[in-house]
Amino acid sequence: MKRSKKTFNDQQVSSDRESGAALKNLESKWGPTPMTLMGFIVVLLMVLTVIFSVAFFFGDLPSDCLWTLAEAGISHVKSSKVSEEDILIVPKDKILGGLLPTGFDETSCLSRKESLLYNKGLQHKPSSYLISGLRRYEALHKQCGPYTELYNRTVDLMKSGQYSSDSSVCNYVIWISYSGLGNRILTLTSAFLYALLTNRVLLVDPRVNLPDLFCEPFPEVSWLLPLDFPMIDQFSSFNQKSPHSYGYMVRNNVTGNSRIPSFLYLHLAHDFDVQDKLFFCDTDQTFLHKVPWLFVKSNNYYVPALFLIPSFEQELNNLFPEKETVFHFLGRYLFHPTNSVWGLITRYHQAYLAQADEKIGIQIRVFDLGVNSKHVLDQILACTTKENLLPQVNLNEPTVNSSGKTKTISVLMTSLSPRYFKEIRSMYWENPTVTGDIVGVFQPSHEEHQQTEKLMHDRKAWAEMYLLSLTDKLVTSAWSTFGYVAYSLGGLKPWILYKFENGTVHNPPCFRAMSLEPCYHSPPYYNCKKKTESHNTVNIVPHVRHCEDNNWGLKLFDPKGEL
């Protein structure tokens, strides 16, 4: 079986009989055929596995050595063309060291089995406690998911109003779709972690493109809330003034009644008030634990605040010994591109990125429309050259590469506007680099305006986040949830561009992130004991601090990583 290397202009191998015969004779005379070589590699891997296993048994190797071997085993099969031989070589890696479940129809979600051939795999090792916790959650989801006997019974009890705290075996957290795609990905991850901590089943609002973007993450039973769910049409009207809002009930002393409601709405968006923030207090969690249906709406990554709830602290420490890996693990566990999105990703990667020696990602998001575009461009170039991410150009005379070794760099840019891409592409086309390196600059789309909840716009956005996560080095924009998703999925610590401000180019232009985690932009600065607002939240635990790009936001850090 022959595998041709795919290039931007796919050239077909000649079928001329004489050339084919000559090629076969040459192969038999001077070296092994591709099939023979592949067989040799498989045998070699088997032998190495036995050697490492024996050595590990007798204590000659560290306990994570086999994990390292598993990661190294795929390095030789990464190429621009994915084949069945490649996939068969990495049966263990495609479940990310046990993070992902098995039992899926692989053709229904090609990204689940092929993703390891494009990205670098997990950059950290998930704890065995996290893996066991995910398997337990999957069993619960299978037992209580949509249209199961227990789900149907719990829905009937809610509709009848006959619910009591002892009536149901299954409790649920329902994620309501809200805000842009980057925010939705982050809030969905937050809701799943809360479900994991509270022994609830996560069901998600299916109405806004979700089934067209992400494969089902749990085996056998869907995570999509059925469209015939009795209250689904009310989701868009839920707000702080809703009678079933927890904050509203606290303000009006409704929670003091002895009867436990069958459902509650939790408003955890950026505009939540003091009563809404009680969600993050232990005493209120004790009350919420008794409510079978919790509906949650948020546009923030509120995971860092869950680490501040004392009753969750030990469980979270067990799940995530490395604190900055929460989204890296849960994002890779939950979000697998559907086949339509995976096609966008793989076609673009093979055409423009796969052949490069190095891939650089640049994600640009300008929140202030009044910012001068030249200042933005100058800041991008200042960052990429100052940090040696891209070579400078020679404006005076052609550069001769004396070493004879030319390095190719593919730059993947994402932005709503095409102007920065066009300027940088022209700069590297019209001028040689001082190093002699060849730089190609590419931008998949330029939608001009964010079109939240439009299907094709969301597909492109998800594909571009994923493509950015596949780069070797990444530059992102401050405050951008789009950038947060990209770098945390890829396990990359990016260079973050300071927030663009009109009239100035920030000096320095960018800084290196200290953590893989996204930032919680609007945290609940609240003292649960005193029941007053407080700004000392950042001092509660050492691994929750202010974000690098948002000095009032909160973010998870790993103190051990700074030693």
Side-chain angles (χ1 to χ4, degrees):
M1 183 181 296
K2 296 180 182 177
R3 294 166 51 196
S4 59
K5 188 176 184 182
K6 187 168 182 176
T7 62
F8 182 73
N9 297 311
D10 240 351
Q11 300 296 322
Q12 305 239 342
V13 178
S14 172
S15 59
D16 184 271
R17 292 184 178 179
E18 294 182 2
S19 298
L23 180 60
K24 290 181 179 179
N25 291 336
L26 189 63
E27 287 176 343
S28 61
K29 182 176 180 180
W30 295 106
T33 65
M35 182 62 76
T36 304
L37 182 60
M38 185 62 69
F40 173 76
I41 292 172
V42 171
V43 172
L44 180 61
L45 284 174
M46 293 173 63
V47 172
L48 286 174
T49 302
V50 172
I51 293 172
F52 271 70
S53 300
V54 172
F56 174 72
F57 179 80
F58 286 102
D60 293 330
L61 293 173
S63 60
D64 62 349
C65 191
L66 293 181
W67 175 267
T68 305
L69 177 62
E71 291 184 323
I74 64 166
S75 61
H76 69 285
V77 300
K78 289 184 179 180
S79 70
S80 61
K81 187 175 182 63
V82 178
S83 71
E84 281 300 319
E85 300 106 281
D86 293 337
I87 295 166
L88 289 173
I89 288 176
V90 289
K92 182 176 181 179
D93 288 291
K94 70 179 180 180
I95 60 171
L96 301 180
L99 186 74
L100 303 184
T102 57
F104 288 97
D105 172 16
E106 293 187 337
T107 60
S108 66
C109 185
L110 296 174
S111 65
R112 196 188 305 278
K113 68 172 181 177
E114 293 181 1
S115 62
L116 259 291
L117 301 172
Y118 291 86
N119 58 38
K120 298 174 287 296
L122 292 176
Q123 299 305 295
H124 298 263
K125 181 178 179 179
S127 68
S128 59
Y129 194 88
L130 173 61
I131 292 172
S132 299
L134 294 174
R135 299 295 88 83
R136 288 193 300 271
Y137 173 83
E138 290 153 13
L140 178 65
H141 197 98
K142 182 179 179 180
Q143 182 183 29
C144 299
Y147 299 122
T148 60
E149 180 181 349
L150 292 175
Y151 167 86
N152 293 337
R153 184 194 308 170
T154 312
V155 170
D156 289 341
L157 288 169
M158 180 179 65
K159 289 191 294 185
S160 68
Q162 298 177 355
Y163 171 79
S164 68
S165 58
D166 298 325
S167 300
S168 175
V169 176
C170 300
N171 291 334
Y172 299 85
V173 55
I174 309 300
W175 172 85
I176 299 175
S177 181
Y178 178 54
S179 196
L181 183 59
N183 298 72
R184 279 182 273 161
I185 290 173
L186 296 179
T187 60
L188 187 43
T189 306
S190 304
F192 176 69
L193 180 57
Y194 180 67
L196 201 63
L197 293 169
T198 56
N199 204 37
R200 290 178 177 271
V201 172
L202 172 70
L203 297 179
V204 301
D205 183 354
R207 299 170 303 159
V208 190
N209 302 332
L210 201 81
D212 297 294
L213 301 174
F214 309 113
C215 300
E216 293 279 0
F218 313 129
E220 300 186 51
V221 182
S222 177
W223 70 337
L224 301 175
L225 184 71
L227 290 172
D228 60 2
F229 184 76
M231 301 182 62
I232 198 167
D233 293 333
Q234 301 179 40
F235 288 175
S236 57
S237 64
F238 281 165
N239 56 47
Q240 291 168 292
K241 297 180 181 179
S242 300
H244 295 288
S245 164
Y246 184 60
Y248 176 91
M249 295 178 71
V250 172
R251 284 190 297 274
N252 292 276
N253 297 316
V254 179
T255 56
N257 299 337
S258 57
R259 183 178 178 183
I260 301 298
S262 59
F263 69 92
L264 282 175
Y265 166 64
L266 302 171
H267 188 80
L268 303 182
H270 67 283
D271 58 351
F272 59 177
D273 60 22
V274 171
Q275 288 76 29
D276 297 316
K277 295 177 182 179
L278 293 174
F279 170 81
F280 296 100
C281 296
D282 252 339
T283 53
D284 295 81
Q285 281 297 324
T286 300
F287 174 81
L288 293 173
H289 183 73
K290 303 173 185 177
V291 182
W293 296 92
L294 296 178
F295 303 98
V296 183
K297 184 186 289 185
S298 179
N299 58 352
N300 270 284
Y301 181 70
Y302 53 88
V303 164
L306 297 179
F307 277 76
L308 301 177
I309 301 175
S311 60
F312 294 162
E313 184 176 5
Q314 187 57 56
E315 184 72 2
L316 285 167
N317 287 338
N318 293 337
L319 290 168
F320 303 102
E322 295 179 278
K323 301 299 182 292
E324 63 176 89
T325 61
V326 177
F327 186 82
H328 182 56
F329 290 148
L330 297 187
R332 295 292 294 274
Y333 174 76
L334 291 172
F335 303 112
H336 305 277
T338 56
N339 288 351
S340 57
V341 178
W342 189 239
L344 294 175
I345 294 167
T346 55
R347 287 190 296 272
Y348 201 89
H349 188 275
Q350 292 176 23
Y352 303 110
L353 305 177
Q355 305 304 319
D357 296 314
E358 187 173 37
K359 298 182 286 291
I360 306 295
I362 302 177
Q363 180 262 333
I364 305 164
R365 180 64 192 273
V366 180
F367 294 97
D368 183 355
L369 298 180
V371 172
N372 188 314
S373 61
K374 184 180 185 306
H375 293 149
V376 175
L377 179 64
D378 289 345
Q379 188 167 333
I380 296 166
L381 294 174
C383 174
T384 54
T385 55
K386 178 179 181 294
E387 301 297 336
N388 295 317
L389 301 174
L390 289 176
Q392 293 181 323
V393 295
N394 189 331
L395 300 176
N396 299 318
E397 58 185 26
T399 299
V400 177
N401 189 339
S402 58
S403 69
K405 295 180 180 180
T406 301
K407 178 182 177 182
T408 59
I409 302 172
S410 284
V411 180
L412 173 69
M413 297 187 67
T414 66
S415 173
L416 291 172
S417 169
R419 61 176 63 94
Y420 313 111
F421 151 71
K422 289 180 179 178
E423 291 284 347
I424 296 175
R425 180 186 61 179
S426 295
M427 183 182 76
Y428 281 107
W429 180 35
E430 295 170 2
N431 304 282
T433 62
V434 296
T435 60
D437 296 339
I438 304 299
V439 179
V441 186
F442 311 98
Q443 180 171 330
S445 71
H446 44 86
E447 302 282 281
E448 294 292 350
H449 305 287
Q450 184 169 334
Q451 303 168 50
T452 300
E453 300 181 1
K454 183 179 177 182
L455 177 56
M456 197 59 205
H457 181 84
D458 279 352
R459 282 180 177 173
K460 290 177 181 177
W462 175 215
E464 290 181 12
M465 288 182 215
Y466 202 98
L467 282 166
L468 286 171
S469 78
L470 303 180
T471 57
D472 301 308
K473 298 174 183 176
L474 183 58
V475 177
T476 64
S477 298
W479 294 28
S480 174
T481 56
F482 193 107
Y484 295 163
V485 171
Y487 73 67
S488 195
L489 273 182
L492 301 166
K493 290 186 178 179
W495 286 261
I496 301 178
L497 295 161
Y498 280 94
K499 195 170 185 292
F500 302 117
E501 296 178 351
N502 200 22
T504 61
V505 175
H506 199 284
N507 186 22
C510 59
F511 58 93
R512 189 75 184 271
M514 299 298 293
S515 168
L516 298 178
E517 277 289 292
C519 177
Y520 183 7
H521 285 168
S522 305
Y525 286 114
Y526 186 78
N527 187 312
C528 292
K529 293 181 179 179
K530 296 181 179 180
K531 297 190 180 300
T532 58
E533 294 195 77
S534 170
H535 290 275
N536 293 326
T537 308
V538 74
N539 299 321
I540 295 176
V541 292
H543 44 271
V544 175
R545 306 178 192 171
H546 289 302
C547 308
E548 305 101 328
D549 62 334
N550 182 326
N551 57 15
W552 63 81
L554 295 181
K555 185 173 183 177
L556 289 167
F557 289 80
D558 190 356
K560 294 182 295 184
E562 299 175 354
L563 298 179

